[in-house]
Amino acid sequence: YGNNQIIPDAPNGGIGYGNVIVSRTGQKFVNSPVLVRSNLTVTPGAYLENQAGVNSLQVLGTVHNDGTLTNSGLIEIGN
């Protein structure tokens, strides 16, 4: 909360995340491949950056962006 954070890859034994909600202040970064098995939501005032060189931020559900989502890598949406 309030600090810069990195969203790590492959939690739960490599099966990925369920729903991911990015909220509050501070920048959140994806700097390695991440699988979101459901929806990704960026709330108002929140900041998410998919950094350059990231093979894939894969979201199997939908992406709801009401904040700031910056993409310098690759985002795959859907199955």
Side-chain angles (χ1 to χ4, degrees), residues 7 11 20-21 32 39 56:
I7 299 174
V20 172
I21 300 172
S32 60
N39 301 320
S56 175

Side-chain angles (χ1 to χ4, degrees), residues 10-67:
N12 302 320
I15 63 170
Y17 295 94
N19 287 307
V20 172
I21 300 172
V22 177
S23 63
R24 309 223 176 170
T25 60
Q27 297 178 339
K28 283 72 172 180
F29 300 98
V30 175
N31 65 2
S32 60
V34 168
L35 171 62
V36 178
R37 300 188 67 79
S38 193
N39 301 320
L40 171 65
T41 302
V42 182
T43 64
Y47 177 90
L48 176 64
E49 180 178 335
N50 188 41
Q51 296 186 320
V54 174
N55 264 350
S56 175
L57 168 56
Q58 185 177 14
V59 182
L60 299 182
T62 59
V63 175
H64 302 279
N65 181 23
D66 291 319

